[in-house]
C-alpha cells in the first residue's frame, strides 16, 4: 500500500462533521460572553469540569472568561444496565479539592444525554450550600431526556446520534478531534 492509499484509509476513519471547529469556537465565544454577563459581580467563579469529556471545552471556555475564576475537576461514572436498579445511576469517582461553601459554582459538562449525570451533580453540589449552582453544557440531546435538569448555558442542541471529538469519545477514541463528528453505527 502506497502513502496515498494509507492516507485515504485514514480519511475513512474520520467521523463525518456535525459541528465544525469554527462553529464550535464562535459558540464558545458567545457562551463566555453570556457567562461573563451573568457573573459580572462575582468575585471568584468556581468552574467545575466533569472529566473526561469536558476537558477541552472547559479549557477553551475558561481562557475566554473575563470574570475571575478558578477551575476544579470531578470524575463520575455511570452504572451499567445490570445495576440500573441502583437508586442513583451515577457514582462520584473524584471530588473537588477545595470546598465550595458560599461560592458561585458553574458545572461544565460536555453533553447532557439522559440528564442523570447533571441532575446527580446538581443535587450533590447543592448539598454543600454554595451561593449558587448553575449548569453549562456544550451539547444537549433533548430526545434522550429521562431526567429534566435546567441548563443555564447551552452550546448546541443535537439529534439522538453518537458524537465524538472536542473531548467526547467512543471507547476512548476520537476524543482529540478539533470538530464534533457523528459516529455512525458501522464505525463503532
Ligand atoms: P447522561 O447522564 O445520560 O446525561 O450522560 C452524560 C454522559 O454520557 C456524558 O458526560 C458523556 O460522557 C456520555 N455521553 C452521552 N452521549 C454521548 C455521545 O454522543 N458521545 C460521547 N459521550 C456521550
Amino acid at each position: 500500500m502506497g502513502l496515498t492509499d494509507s492516507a485515504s484509509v485514514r480519511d475513512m476513519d474520520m467521523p463525518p462533521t456535525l459541528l465544525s471547529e469554527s462553529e464550535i469556537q464562535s459558540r464558545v465565544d458567545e457562551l463566555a460572553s453570556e457567562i461573563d454577563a451573568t457573573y459580572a459581580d462575582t468575585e471568584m467563579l468556581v468552574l467545575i469540569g466533569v472529566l473526561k469529556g469536558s476537558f477541552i471545552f472547559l479549557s477553551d471556555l475558561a481562557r475566554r472568561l473575563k470574570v475571575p475564576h478558578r477551575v476544579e475537576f470531578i470524575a463520575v461514572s455511570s452504572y451499567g444496565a445490570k445495576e440500573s436498579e441502583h437508586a442513583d445511576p451515577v457514582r462520584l469517582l473524584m471530588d473537588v479539592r477545595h470546598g465550595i461553601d458560599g461560592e458561585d459554582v458553574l458545572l461544565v459538562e460536555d453533553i447532557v444525554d439522559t440528564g442523570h449525570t447533571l441532575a446527580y451533580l446538581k443535587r450533590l453540589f447543592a448539598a454543600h450550600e454554595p451561593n449558587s449552582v448553575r449548569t453549562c453544557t456544550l451539547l444537549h440531546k433533548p430526545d434522550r431526556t429521562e431526567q429534566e435538569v435546567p441548563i443555564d448555558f447551552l452550546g448546541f442542541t443535537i439529534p439522538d446520534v453518537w458524537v465524538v471529538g472536542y473531548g467526547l469519545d467512543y471507547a476512548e477514541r476520537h476524543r482529540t478531534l478539533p470538530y464534533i463528528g457523528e459516529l455512525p453505527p458501522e464505525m463503532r
Side-chain angles (χ1 to χ4, degrees):
M1 197 189 289
L3 265 182
T4 323
D5 293 335
S6 62
S8 57
V9 168
R10 284 273 165 95
D11 285 349
M12 280 164 51
D13 277 346
M14 301 294 275
T17 305
L18 184 70
L19 297 165
S20 69
E21 190 173 356
S22 63
E23 281 175 287
I24 298 168
Q25 294 302 326
S26 40
R27 190 69 191 116
V28 175
D29 278 342
E30 291 169 356
L31 286 173
S33 304
E34 286 176 37
I35 293 167
D36 276 336
T38 302
Y39 293 100
D41 300 325
T42 301
E43 274 177 30
M44 181 63 68
L45 174 64
V46 184
L47 300 169
I48 303 184
V50 186
L51 292 174
K52 298 179 189 170
S54 74
F55 83 110
I56 293 179
F57 174 43
L58 177 57
S59 72
D60 279 352
L61 184 70
R63 285 178 295 170
R64 284 164 163 91
L65 290 178
K66 296 193 178 73
V67 62
H69 58 271
R70 64 182 177 90
V71 176
E72 295 271 353
F73 283 103
I74 54 166
V76 293
S77 84
S78 302
Y79 285 100
K82 269 194 194 157
E83 293 155 297
S84 59
E85 280 170 26
H86 193 278
D88 220 317
V90 185
R91 197 160 40 126
L92 190 67
L93 298 179
M94 186 183 94
D95 206 346
V96 291
R97 295 268 178 102
H98 303 280
I100 53 158
D101 309 24
E103 306 252 35
D104 289 301
V105 170
L106 182 61
L107 282 168
V108 181
E109 261 278 34
D110 51 352
I111 185 164
V112 175
D113 184 40
T114 62
H116 290 305
T117 306
L118 205 56
Y120 165 83
L121 291 175
K122 241 197 133 173
R123 278 199 309 279
L124 183 82
F125 287 112
H128 286 265
E129 302 191 346
N131 186 46
S132 67
V133 185
R134 290 191 179 89
T135 56
C136 173
T137 181
L138 182 67
L139 306 174
H140 181 214
K141 290 186 201 169
D143 295 346
R144 297 258 310 154
T145 303
E146 288 177 14
Q147 203 165 356
E148 293 282 352
V149 52
I151 298 169
D152 299 289
F153 306 96
L154 169 64
F156 302 93
T157 295
I158 60 164
D160 180 12
V161 292
W162 194 267
V163 285
V164 291
Y166 201 66
L168 293 124
D169 73 313
Y170 176 73
E172 295 301 327
R173 295 188 61 217
H174 306 299
R175 211 188 270 287
T176 55
L177 285 177
Y179 66 94
I180 289 179
E182 174 181 342
L183 200 68
E186 64 274 15
M187 287 181 74
R188 294 179 202 166

